[in-house]
Amino acid sequence: MSRLKNLARVLVAVTLAVPLAAATTTTANAAPLLGGGLVDFGCAQARLHCLGKAIKSPDGPGPLVAATPVGYGPAEIQAAYGLGGRHANGRTVAIVDAMDAPTAESDLATYRAARGLAPCTSADGCFRKVNQHGAASPLPAPDYGWAEEISLDLDAVSATCPDCRILLVEADSPDTDPLMTAVDTAAATPGVVAISNSYGGDEDPTITAADTHLDHPGIAITASSGDAGYGVSWPASSPYVTAVGGTTLKKAAGTSRGWAETTWSGSGSGCSALEPKPAWQHDTACAKRTVADVAAVADPKTGLGVYDTYNSCGGGALCDLLLTLGLAQGADGWVQVGGTSLSSPVVASVYALAGNSVTAAAQPYAHPDGLFDVTSGSNGSCGGSYLCTAGAGYDGPTGLGTPNGIAAF
């Protein structure tokens, strides 16, 4: 008992000495939080892993947990990419992730209410959560990190396409077979026009056989390009997907667009060692598949504010402290997040708004004038090549550019 008492005294002392993260939050329409480092979501990993990151608290190694909305919201995402006033007309974006997020629907409801969006619930048919086989139960085992990833994905769709229907398909584990089964389930669901995959792993000899699960003509399948900078991950390297890189997105007063984008240093890119080059890709320094195709905001420091409450500490001020100190897992309210886990569902939602997924991956290459060209920044060292350095036209980190309305999709 003495050890427990001593721990309690330490926690009380730290609580008094360290300001809670909520005290440093911004309001819903304020600029995103730019300071501090980044922290991984801590998703359970197997063959593949989630690609989300959160802003780290200045008071500890854990995430900055906020009581009120932080980061960008629907107004900023739609303004930056010219999407205001557009509608999905009943189309569905599917989110494929691993493990279960028990609070997914309630957290989504809180997010949408706080951001002024109409409800999207299972009761009204807008939201559905199923297992990898398409059934409501049994659901996979829950995981704090994947729950945070799921909140990011659901909120990103909501911010980009407020009237999109959302299907959440939860795979049994982060292994290739369960996740690809989940992709097939999503593709077979009526109404689904786009599927987002915010996870990845190193290429290996098994990926070409798994590619068949990503080959669903008429459905746009997006995949995050990676969060470790220059280097290729799968399924982004599959020729059947739209590989989505990442940018740093900032307001730019005095410009015609009102926004400026540069390469996010964490955006994955490069030349596949195994995947064949698609017919619609024509860059010359890579004989095989080049990553990425397009991009969207991914830098957590200019990231999306999301709402997630699935954690190992139960909620409340003490839980927030434990999360801040890295002594608990998950989140307890608003967190500012990013990674190419953010850019993938944003682009999937733009496909849904466009309603033209027939030639999905090839679409941007046929309509590059419908994109904002990102011309500066790098994600690593590759001898100055376009494979890791942004420039006019196509480059690896940001592909052909970021959405300028729906014309390229």
Side-chain angles (χ1 to χ4, degrees), residues 77-88:
I77 297 298
Q78 292 171 44
Y81 295 123
L83 302 173
R86 300 192 180 277
H87 300 282

Side-chain angles (χ1 to χ4, degrees), residues 136-153:
S137 65
L139 295 171
D143 181 81
Y144 302 114
W146 280 100
E148 195 167 358
E149 173 65 52
I150 287 168
S151 290
L152 163 56
D153 293 340

Side-chain angles (χ1 to χ4, degrees), residues 71-373:
Y72 291 144
E76 290 79 15
I77 297 298
Q78 292 171 44
Y81 295 123
L83 302 173
R86 300 192 180 277
H87 300 282
N89 300 316
R91 303 181 191 106
T92 300
V93 175
I95 296 298
V96 170
D97 281 310
M99 318 304 288
D100 179 39
T103 60
E105 185 168 1
S106 60
D107 287 344
L108 177 63
T110 299
Y111 174 86
R112 293 180 69 98
R115 292 300 196 179
L117 303 179
C120 183
T121 68
S122 55
D124 64 21
C126 175
F127 174 77
R128 286 181 60 205
K129 180 171 78 168
V130 298
N131 62 24
Q132 67 185 46
H133 301 294
S137 65
L139 295 171
D143 181 81
Y144 302 114
W146 280 100
E148 195 167 358
E149 173 65 52
I150 287 168
S151 290
L152 163 56
D153 293 340
L154 299 181
D155 295 353
V157 174
S158 297
T160 310
C161 179
D163 71 335
C164 277
R165 295 174 180 269
I166 306 174
L167 172 68
L168 171 61
V169 187
E170 297 180 333
D172 287 347
S173 78
D175 282 306
T176 302
D177 287 348
L179 283 163
M180 292 302 99
T181 297
V183 170
D184 288 336
T185 292
T189 302
V192 169
V193 298
I195 303 170
S196 176
N197 303 272
S198 291
Y199 52 84
D202 293 339
E203 291 187 315
D204 66 30
T206 68
I207 62 173
T208 53
D211 278 337
T212 57
H213 299 281
L214 299 164
D215 183 11
H216 293 284
I219 296 176
I221 300 180
T222 63
S224 303
S225 71
D227 289 354
Y230 180 59
V232 175
S233 69
W234 183 88
S237 64
S238 170
Y240 299 113
V241 311
T242 299
V244 187
T247 67
T248 297
L249 174 70
K250 295 182 180 180
K251 291 184 178 180
T255 65
S256 58
R257 180 186 174 190
W259 297 85
E261 286 179 280
T262 57
T263 298
W264 176 48
S265 61
S267 180
S269 72
C271 184
S272 172
L274 299 170
E275 296 282 18
K277 199 167 198 68
W280 32 262
Q281 201 170 50
H282 304 292
D283 60 299
T284 58
C286 174
K288 293 187 179 293
R289 168 72 155 116
T290 313
V291 174
D293 298 311
V294 296
V297 59
D299 187 344
K301 293 181 180 180
T302 64
L304 189 74
V306 308
Y307 190 81
D308 176 52
T309 60
Y310 185 57
N311 57 64
S312 62
C313 49
L318 180 57
C319 180
D320 292 350
L321 177 64
L322 294 173
L323 290 166
T324 296
L325 298 177
L327 301 175
Q329 296 174 286
D332 183 35
W334 293 91
V335 287
Q336 184 174 308
V337 302
T340 51
S341 272
L342 170 57
S343 57
S344 177
V346 167
V347 169
S349 301
V350 178
Y351 271 115
L353 286 169
N356 181 20
S357 300
V358 177
T359 56
Q363 277 290 108
Y365 289 85
H367 303 282
D369 54 344
L371 297 159
F372 292 113
D373 193 8

